[in-house]
Amino acid sequence: MRVIAGIAKGRHLHAPATRETRPMTDRAKEGLFSSLGDLVEGAVVLDLFAGSGSLGIEAMSRGAKSVVFVDLGKEAVAALRQNIRACGFAPESEVVVQPVMRYLRSAPTEAFDLVFFDPPWTMSDPEQQQDLDLVAPAVRPHGTVAVNRRASSGELETPAGLWLAAAKRYGDGKIWMYSKETT
């Protein structure tokens, strides 16, 4: 696993060897960031179920202003912190060690331009839906939420305040892109 573009291009990232952490393939990550295009530059990013941090770190490498990483796994958080330091992104990063649902219930309103929602594939659909439903209030108007799930799991219900902008399959996974409605 590596950073594929930007100022940290080519940097190898450490991934913990756990069932809960399943790094996104380079092909899927490249497709995701190609779809995001200029939305990453200067963005305030939230990386939920961050694992090794590959999505948030890729965003910072491509010009994101800052990233809040949220994960609970001990091995994942250790790898995440190691990867942030190795890439030199510690000043722009915040690591939150708590369940995603707890973080989202206290997250600042309309604070993020871009949210990565990449839950463990072992997590149940109802649990994922509960967490995803809490994301919309944290997203700024015109913000984007990228959801990565096992393709065979199907789409979750679109949370209130978001609309489905695109979906694309990459191997066993599928990425759904949601945009924040404006009032």
Side-chain angles (χ1 to χ4, degrees), residues 1-4 7-13 57 83 86-88:
M1 181 175 50
R2 64 188 173 86
V3 179
I4 54 177
I7 61 173
K9 181 180 180 178
R11 171 88 53 188
H12 289 277
L13 301 175
I57 289 170
N83 291 334
C87 291

Side-chain angles (χ1 to χ4, degrees), residues 9-182:
K9 181 180 180 178
R11 171 88 53 188
H12 289 277
L13 301 175
H14 175 71
T18 65
R19 281 189 59 211
E20 290 77 30
T21 304
R22 174 209 27 83
M24 185 182 284
T25 65
D26 282 355
R27 181 174 165 258
K29 189 165 43 169
E30 193 166 332
L32 168 62
F33 280 90
S34 177
S35 296
L36 292 170
D38 294 339
L39 297 176
V40 177
E41 182 73 32
V44 177
V45 178
L46 177 59
D47 189 349
L48 300 171
F49 306 101
S52 63
S54 73
L55 295 177
I57 289 170
E58 186 73 37
M60 280 196 286
S61 183
R62 293 172 182 243
K65 180 179 177 181
S66 63
V67 178
V68 175
F69 297 91
V70 181
D71 206 299
L72 187 59
K74 183 179 178 181
E75 295 89 357
V77 170
L80 169 61
R81 287 186 168 136
Q82 177 184 349
N83 291 334
I84 290 168
R85 281 191 306 273
C87 291
F89 295 139
E92 301 92 356
S93 302
E94 178 184 353
V95 177
V96 177
V97 183
Q98 64 180 236
V100 164
M101 183 178 285
R102 184 182 309 153
Y103 176 78
L104 288 171
R105 284 189 172 143
S106 64
T109 303
E110 296 187 349
F112 301 100
D113 302 299
L114 177 58
V115 178
F116 297 119
F117 186 90
D118 190 11
W121 285 4
T122 57
M123 187 178 186
S124 73
D125 285 356
E127 289 175 300
Q128 289 183 39
Q129 186 69 57
Q130 284 178 334
D131 288 347
L132 184 59
D133 287 342
L134 295 171
V135 169
V139 181
R140 290 182 176 155
H142 306 290
T144 300
V145 179
V147 176
N148 183 42
R149 293 174 27 94
R150 183 185 309 272
S152 61
S153 296
E155 182 182 348
L156 295 171
E157 290 181 31
T158 301
L162 299 178
W163 58 275
L164 181 62
K168 180 144 179 156
R169 185 176 179 146
Y170 296 95
D172 292 342
K174 189 168 182 178
I175 298 172
W176 287 267
M177 303 285 282
Y178 297 90
S179 291
K180 175 84 178 252
E181 295 175 351
T182 58

